[in-house]
Amino acid sequence: MSGSNYPVDLSVKPEVKAFFDPATNTISYVVKDPSSSACAVVDSVMDIDYAAGRITYDHADEIIAHIRDNELELEWLIETHVHADHLSGAPYIQKQLGGKLGIGEKITVIQETFGKIFNEGTEFQRDGSQFDMLFKDGDTYKIGEMTAMVMCTPGHTPACMVHVMGNATFTGDTLFMPDSGSARADFPGGDAATLYDSIQKVLALPDDMRLFMCHDYGQNGREIQWETTVGEEKEHNIHVGGGKSKEEFVKFRTERDAQLAMPKLIIPSLQVNMRAGQLPPSDDTGRTFLKVPINEL
Ligand SMILES: [Fe+2]
């Protein structure tokens, strides 16, 4: 046990296979239960050429092929949050392999906020019903015989969750690699002080806990990396490591966020991901469109 109130079991060691998407610097994972063929997919990607309005599925197909080749049973598709920089590939994978799609219960807050921004009609449900499971803080669920556990970690967005599966923890955007620090906290519903508190919850896990990032940008030209440990983050994370105070973090994060441009794919990503990765409904000609709200973001 650790300093956190969350039950963890480092003796359970899932196999973690990473899939890096160079177009969006996202890392998706297939996590396999060590004692069965059950697995989960964490944060998959659907490919979009936004300039052309073209959607393809190369990244998701790679994940599907891995699951089929290794004869795994897909039980869960996990979204750590509503991503603003890539489109989720979860519904496409789910259609072919089954499994339940889960996200944090605060998805309803995101749906309310962005339902307004994109002026969605009443047919857009804001109750999270597009997902199979809405997780609360401390919830557990099974991947085969392995118990996975959910930590509510708001700050980057209100619906952010970190998933702990044995000795492997999937941080979403709550933490980046130690030399890259943390994600922005200035999206609607984001908050730097809240993000600091959420990061402390992750850092209260045991030092040997393996941490897997959702993004990496190859800080200062190094190779892309996605795995570290709680101990490494506690000591070396440039934004929160070495005992940095909440005040220092909030000041730094707020100043940095004010200088950041919007992610390139935020407009298509939010419209699709708030619908659990589904495209908006087709119009009466059977064609599908995304909106671009002017001066709203
Ligand atoms: Fe994100």
Side-chain angles (χ1 to χ4, degrees), residues 81-85 156-157 173 183 187 215:
H81 62 295
V82 172
H83 308 276
D85 54 13
H156 169 62
T157 76
D173 287 2
F187 292 147
H215 291 294

Side-chain angles (χ1 to χ4, degrees), residues 40-100:
V41 167
V42 180
D43 289 334
S44 58
V45 175
M46 174 163 77
D47 311 308
I48 185 167
D49 177 346
Y50 189 36
R54 184 164 297 116
I55 279 178
T56 51
Y57 299 96
D58 293 349
H59 184 85
D61 283 338
E62 214 186 312
I63 290 174
I64 291 167
H66 172 83
I67 292 173
R68 287 202 170 126
D69 292 350
N70 291 281
E71 296 176 0
L72 305 180
E73 290 292 323
L74 180 58
E75 295 194 349
W76 285 96
L77 299 112
I78 300 297
E79 296 292 315
T80 54
H81 62 295
V82 172
H83 308 276
D85 54 13
H86 69 269
L87 282 62
S88 168
Y92 175 81
I93 297 172
Q94 187 183 36
K95 207 168 160 197
Q96 302 196 41
L97 298 177
K100 279 189 257 175

Side-chain angles (χ1 to χ4, degrees), residues 178 203 206-211 227-234:
L203 297 184
D207 281 356
D208 292 341
M209 176 66 81
R210 302 166 78 191
L211 296 182
E227 181 177 353
T228 181
T229 63
V230 167
E232 283 291 311
E233 291 281 22
K234 258 196 325 216

Side-chain angles (χ1 to χ4, degrees), residues 2 9 18 31 56-58 68 83 98 100-101 103 127-128 154 166 182 186 190 195 198 201-202 228 286 292:
S2 68
D9 186 354
V31 191
T56 51
Y57 299 96
D58 293 349
R68 287 202 170 126
H83 308 276
K100 279 189 257 175
L101 175 52
I103 198 163
D127 58 1
S182 61
D186 62 332
L195 178 57
S198 291
K201 282 162 75 171
V202 178
T228 181
V292 179

